Each structure stands twice: as structure tokens, then as C-alpha cells.
Amino acid sequence: MSDRDRPQRLPGLAAAPAAGCLASGLALICAVVAALSAPGSAQANHAIAMHGEPALAPGFTAFRYVNPDAPKGGQLTQGVLGSFDSLNPFIVKGLPVPALQIRGPVIESLMARGYDEPFTLYGLIARSVETDPERSYVTFELDPRATFADGMPVTAADVIFSWQLLRDHGRPNYRTYYVKVTAAQALGERTVRFDLAGNVDRELPLILGLMPVLPKHAVDPDRFEETSLAPPLGSGPYVVAQVDAGRSVTLRRNPNYWGRDLPVNRGFWNFDTVRLDFYRDANSHFEAFKKGLYDVRSETDPSRWEANYDFPAVRDHRVIKEEIPYGLPKIMTALVFNTRRAVFGDVRVREAISLLFDFEWINRSFFFGRYRRTASFFEDSELSAHGRPADAAERALLAPFPGAVRADVLEGTWSPPVSDGSGRDREALRRALALFREAGYELTGTVLRHRGSGEPLGFELMVADRDQERLAIAFAQNLKRAGVDVRIRVVDAVQYEQRRNTFDFDMIQNRWDQSLSPGNEQAFYWGTAAADEPGSRNYMGLRSAAADAMIATLLDARGRGEFVTAVRALDRVLMSGIYVVPLYHLPAQWVARWSAIRHPAATSLSGYLPETWWREPEKGP
């Protein structure tokens, strides 16, 4: 009988003793053993960690990286580059408001992240969590105070409804995660149990802990996948108060928010209103900040950071520039080869193209030398394999997949090429042309052609804004020296998102943000099953048995050591395939803020958190 078909028991109730126990006169002992082995016998806890124990004990009052006495009030205005036509971030269709502006402020999860730990969750809607050592099930007990913004209580039925809705109608990542649940059951009005038996995935209890909880009474499943500007109903500290389609969204504090006094919320959600203003292009976005039209700006362009922040408000300290260190893997930004396209089917072609990206020249010419070259998909962290020879444990994991990892990557000696910084590096060109020849291409005149078909080597590089276009032009100029024809296509944000979601591109620029506890999302990024799933983030079309195996291994890891080993092995597989042209990263987070906006003295391991910031109250006369 499968776990789905097996009758479930309430926690703490033992099954009837087996006939063999009765026959041997050990009925009492067998009953005790059965009770101890029942799933419900595990202890309910205030928190759950992916590996090890939570850092904070029951009864903690606030996180380290907040100001628990931060004043409440005022408005935070945020400038967002882009547009939107939907307030539903959980589906593929449309161009939604960024998920972080809905998740948390409006729609809460069962549990909340601790941002000083790799992956630990603390009680929010669920005041306790229970699982067994095998993580074959997880049970959440809901806080009886938890209510949606309309006053209706959050119940186990809402949790199960949310799981089913997102599994059947949500974005592909939700479907990938939640289909692993074998059964869900309400054990009472405020207790819900998910059975996970049969999955080699120890992250699932935490994935479910982060599940957004939607109100069953206010969501129509049949219309859920349609784009909508109707304000979503959640249990969070804010409600959507005003929407100007494509231009702005205003969130207003819910005065009846049920969770304001929880330890996980102390020092958070300090503004009475949060307004999101959308800007169509990068220049108007920056100019609006200079005029004080929004309050906080995250900067990623060194040339702008160095040259364009010399305006009066900076000089008189009304705008403050800060470089904030953080402990997460640095962001992997890259030009992505769509290997679904025949032109990129040969790894030698991809490597040759990568050799022609002149980071040293671009960094000096465009970015004041402030960027650092990215090599690893988990750059600047213990998870990175770059510069580290594989140990015996890694080699054992990779042994069933000969050829999946290059020898230089296995030995830790591989790095992206370093040019002479001239923008016309002859050695890089020589090496690239040699690889092209191995792949069947010859330079005839000024055009690189396939020896067999005579077809020229060329592709389209799709970009979404002027900054991407500037980089694309510089890259295309170097490729032209090798006879490669790069056609640069600038499209608007809506078209870009649509084409990216359906993999309708040759090459795009993309970024992957990683945590110190990568998990199920890695299958969404690199897994074979995601390669043909519209809306997934496997933009390169990667199909690798080795990558799939490393993802499965990291999900099943019991300790931090074996987990790190599996992630490094995955990193080696990704680096070896040359699926991207890795670009660059900043060593810290660059933030500019108008001085009335303040933040805590301490920064979390994950970096700065706008939800912990506040507006300094105006002083009276």
C-alpha cells in the first residue's frame, strides 16, 4: 500500500498492537513501541534549520539585525525599473509586481526566515513545526490569532488549499516543489500535516514552511492563472490600498494586523505606507531618485556610482552613499547560451565565444575597475569550487559521470580567461579561432563559416535596456574580429519577459541569486525536467545527468559537510559545460538613501533588509 492510500492517525495515537505482540504476551511493550514510533511523537519546535539546530532559542525577542525600537510611521517610496500588468506573482502569465513586494508585506508564509543563518525558519503563521529525523512528514500548528486582512481566521483548510492551488496552477517552481507531497491532512482546525515519504529531499519541510498562505474563501481557482490587478488578500502587515496600472502600487499598514507583536516581526514593517513607483528606463529611474521622488536606490553600475552621484543632495549629505558587506554567494550575472539552438550545441563554440569577452578592458573602460570577475555559480563562499581542487568525497560523487567535469575544473585550476586589457587581445583571438576550427568553422575573409554547410556563425543577443545594450555592443565588436555576426535586439520589458519565459532567444543576459543553503530551486535552475518547462529558470536548456544527481545529493544531505561537497560538485558540472559567459559582481551592496530613511546598525548575513528600515520622525519647532 502506498503512503497516499495508507490511513492516517492523529499524532500521539498508537496503532493497534500487531498480532505477534499479543501472542507473545508483550502487548504493553509493543503498544509503547508503537506509540513512540508514531509520526506525531516527534517534538514540536519553534523553528527548523536545514542543517544543525536553530541559532535562536524559544523565547527570543528579536533578530540581531533589527532595531526593535524603530519608530513607526511615514512613507517609504521605492523606485522600480519596469512595469506591471498583474498583482499575482505566483503565476507565469503577465508582468507581475515583483514578488518581494507582495510576499511578506501582504501575503505571509507559514514561517519566516532568519537572515543570519544559511536556512532556518522561525514561527509566523505557524507557531510550531514538527518533523521526524527522516523528514518523512511535517506538521504545522497555526497560531490561533492569525487572521486575514478581512478578519477571517487562517485555518488548516487555507493551508491545504494554498498547497493544492499552487501545485496545480502556480509557477513551475511551485509545481516542482509541491508535487513531492504525497498527502495533506487537517488534523484539526489549526493543525495541518504533510506526508513526504518516498522523497529524497530533506528540504521539503522548509519549502513548505515558506509556502504563501492564500485565503480559500477569497480565491477562485478557476481564474487564478489569469492576470489581475485586483488587490490580493493576505494575512500580512500591509494591504494593497491603491493601484495605478503600470505606474504605481501603494501598500498601507493594516491597523488590525494580527502578528505585530511576534518576535519575527519586531523591528520590521515600520512604515505606515509603502509606495512602489515604476519607471520605464534606467535614466529616468536614476533622475527620479536625484529629485527625491523615491527614497532608497540599490546601485549596480560602477560608472554611475563613481561619476553620477555628485549632485547637490549628495554633497550636502541629504543623500548618503553606503557600501554594505554581506555574506551570501555573490550574484552570478552572465550572458546565457540557449543550447536549445543548434548554433550553441557544441561546447567548443561556447568556449570560443567566452574567450572573446574582454572583462579587463570592459571593467576599466566602463566601470572604473570596480567590478570583480565572476567564475563560480556560488562565488566568494564556502560553496564555490573555483580555485579548490576536488577532494575525495567530491570525486566519488562525480565518478559515475565521466567527462561531466573538465580536468582543470576538477583540479581547481580553471578560471575565466584574463586578457591583456587592450580590447584586442591577439592571444584570446588565436585560442578562440583554434576552438572554432575544432568545431568545424573556418574564417574565410571576415566571416566565420562552417566547413561543411558554408553557413556563417551568428546569433541574436536580446537585451532589455540601454545598460545591457552597451555591454552587448562591446562584446559584439570583439566577436566580429573572429568573424562572428552578433545581431543585437532591444525589446521592451513585456516582450523580453515573454520571450525569456518561452526560451525564445539565442542569448540573453541573466542573473541567478544564490543563498548559503541552495536547495530545490537548483532543479528549477539547472534540472533536466525544467529544461522544457516554460517559466523555469533553466534558460540555457541544460540537460545533465550529473547535475541532476548532484542536486538530488544536496537535497538528501544530512550534515553541512556532505551538503557543501554536493554543492561544490554541482558547481564544477556547471562551470565545465560553459553554459554562460560569466560577467562580474560587486564585492558589496551599494545603496544610496535620502537621509531621513534610517537603518539598523547591524547588517544581516544576507545583507541589508528594507523591511527593517524606518523614517526618522520630523522634529518639531
Side-chain angles (χ1 to χ4, degrees), residues 365-385:
S365 302
F366 294 168
F367 304 126
F368 291 82
R370 294 295 300 270
Y371 274 130
R372 296 179 184 173
R373 188 75 194 269
T374 306
S376 164
F377 287 80
F378 306 92
E379 184 74 26
D380 195 25
S381 76
E382 68 169 337
L383 304 175
S384 172

Side-chain angles (χ1 to χ4, degrees), residues 151-375:
M152 293 289 288
V154 182
T155 68
D158 294 306
V159 177
I160 294 175
F161 169 79
S162 302
W163 162 68
Q164 292 173 327
L165 182 72
L166 295 170
R167 180 198 63 187
D168 298 339
H169 301 286
R171 293 184 68 86
N173 55 321
Y174 291 118
R175 301 181 192 186
T176 299
Y177 304 157
Y178 299 158
V179 76
K180 296 180 181 181
V181 174
T182 55
Q185 181 182 17
L187 303 182
E189 186 179 8
R190 292 188 177 87
T191 305
V192 59
R193 170 183 163 128
F194 294 98
D195 285 291
L196 315 173
N199 289 293
V200 185
D201 183 349
R202 296 181 57 76
E203 191 187 36
L204 268 180
L206 287 86
I207 291 293
L208 291 165
L210 288 177
M211 180 172 66
V213 179
L214 304 168
K216 183 178 181 180
H217 66 277
V219 176
D220 180 358
D222 294 332
R223 302 186 63 183
F224 183 71
E225 293 186 57
E226 300 175 9
T227 59
S228 174
L229 292 174
L233 176 65
S235 62
Y238 293 93
V239 297
V240 176
Q242 189 174 353
V243 179
D244 184 356
R247 295 181 178 180
S248 72
V249 177
T250 300
L251 309 181
R252 182 173 296 122
R253 186 197 305 281
N254 177 8
N256 301 314
Y257 174 48
W258 72 274
R260 68 172 68 88
D261 298 322
L262 294 177
V264 294
N265 282 328
R266 191 172 184 195
F268 283 75
W269 320 118
N270 299 315
F271 299 98
D272 285 341
T273 57
V274 176
R275 178 184 169 97
L276 312 174
D277 286 335
F278 289 76
Y279 296 88
R280 295 280 183 165
D281 66 83
N283 184 60
S284 62
H285 187 225
F286 179 62
E287 291 299 319
F289 177 73
K290 289 169 61 177
K291 295 175 183 177
L293 298 182
Y294 63 94
D295 296 309
V296 179
R297 177 179 173 83
S298 174
E299 186 59 75
T300 58
D301 184 345
S303 59
R304 189 181 290 121
W305 187 251
E306 294 289 342
N308 294 0
Y309 279 81
D310 185 24
F311 52 91
V314 174
R315 291 195 294 269
D316 63 20
H317 305 294
R318 287 178 294 131
V319 166
I320 299 169
K321 292 172 63 181
E322 297 180 282
E323 299 189 13
I324 301 174
Y326 68 108
L328 297 183
K330 301 305 181 283
I331 294 167
M332 166 57 87
T333 303
L335 298 171
V336 185
F337 297 106
N338 185 355
T339 64
R340 301 171 187 85
R341 301 286 207 250
V343 65
F344 296 138
D346 192 317
V347 68
R348 293 168 296 187
V349 169
R350 303 196 297 270
E351 184 174 6
I353 291 172
S354 298
L355 288 171
L356 294 170
F357 181 80
D358 193 334
F359 166 73
E360 285 69 29
W361 181 82
I362 288 172
N363 194 32
R364 187 189 70 247
S365 302
F366 294 168
F367 304 126
F368 291 82
R370 294 295 300 270
Y371 274 130
R372 296 179 184 173
R373 188 75 194 269
T374 306

Side-chain angles (χ1 to χ4, degrees), residues 293-543:
L293 298 182
Y294 63 94
D295 296 309
V296 179
R297 177 179 173 83
S298 174
E299 186 59 75
T300 58
D301 184 345
S303 59
R304 189 181 290 121
W305 187 251
E306 294 289 342
N308 294 0
Y309 279 81
D310 185 24
F311 52 91
V314 174
R315 291 195 294 269
D316 63 20
H317 305 294
R318 287 178 294 131
V319 166
I320 299 169
K321 292 172 63 181
E322 297 180 282
E323 299 189 13
I324 301 174
Y326 68 108
L328 297 183
K330 301 305 181 283
I331 294 167
M332 166 57 87
T333 303
L335 298 171
V336 185
F337 297 106
N338 185 355
T339 64
R340 301 171 187 85
R341 301 286 207 250
V343 65
F344 296 138
D346 192 317
V347 68
R348 293 168 296 187
V349 169
R350 303 196 297 270
E351 184 174 6
I353 291 172
S354 298
L355 288 171
L356 294 170
F357 181 80
D358 193 334
F359 166 73
E360 285 69 29
W361 181 82
I362 288 172
N363 194 32
R364 187 189 70 247
S365 302
F366 294 168
F367 304 126
F368 291 82
R370 294 295 300 270
Y371 274 130
R372 296 179 184 173
R373 188 75 194 269
T374 306
S376 164
F377 287 80
F378 306 92
E379 184 74 26
D380 195 25
S381 76
E382 68 169 337
L383 304 175
S384 172
H386 179 235
R388 290 185 171 102
D391 60 17
E394 274 190 78
R395 292 172 185 270
L397 284 180
L398 294 166
F401 308 98
V405 174
R406 296 165 49 132
D408 53 355
V409 173
L410 198 65
E411 296 301 328
T413 59
W414 177 86
S415 281
V418 178
S419 79
D420 62 11
S422 67
R424 300 180 63 84
D425 189 314
R426 292 176 179 272
E427 176 60 19
L429 179 60
R430 185 190 64 78
R431 292 170 58 198
L433 289 174
L435 281 167
F436 282 132
R437 281 194 295 273
E438 289 181 22
Y441 290 89
E442 290 287 351
L443 188 60
T444 57
T446 60
V447 179
L448 190 68
R449 297 182 182 277
H450 193 274
R451 282 194 298 269
S453 66
E455 287 293 315
L457 179 58
F459 59 91
E460 179 182 279
L461 174 47
M462 185 174 71
V463 300
D465 56 50
R466 291 183 184 273
D467 289 340
Q468 289 187 8
E469 183 183 21
R470 178 176 61 164
L471 177 68
I473 290 171
F475 187 35
Q477 289 173 346
N478 267 353
L479 286 168
K480 186 177 181 179
R481 294 174 56 229
V484 179
D485 176 35
V486 180
R487 303 174 300 280
I488 299 170
R489 174 69 63 87
V490 183
V491 300
D492 62 38
V494 174
Q495 186 180 357
Y496 189 88
E497 188 67 14
Q498 290 173 343
R499 290 185 60 180
R500 184 172 66 167
N501 279 337
T502 57
F503 314 126
D504 182 18
F505 59 86
D506 294 340
M507 175 180 278
I508 58 170
Q509 183 174 322
N510 191 62
R511 60 181 278 175
W512 289 271
D513 297 55
Q514 295 283 8
S515 74
L516 288 170
S517 184
N520 273 274
E521 77 287 346
Q522 302 305 301
F524 192 58
Y525 295 169
W526 332 114
T528 298
D532 295 318
E533 183 69 47
S536 85
R537 298 196 69 191
N538 187 346
Y539 299 122
M540 63 274 290
L542 175 60
R543 296 174 176 84

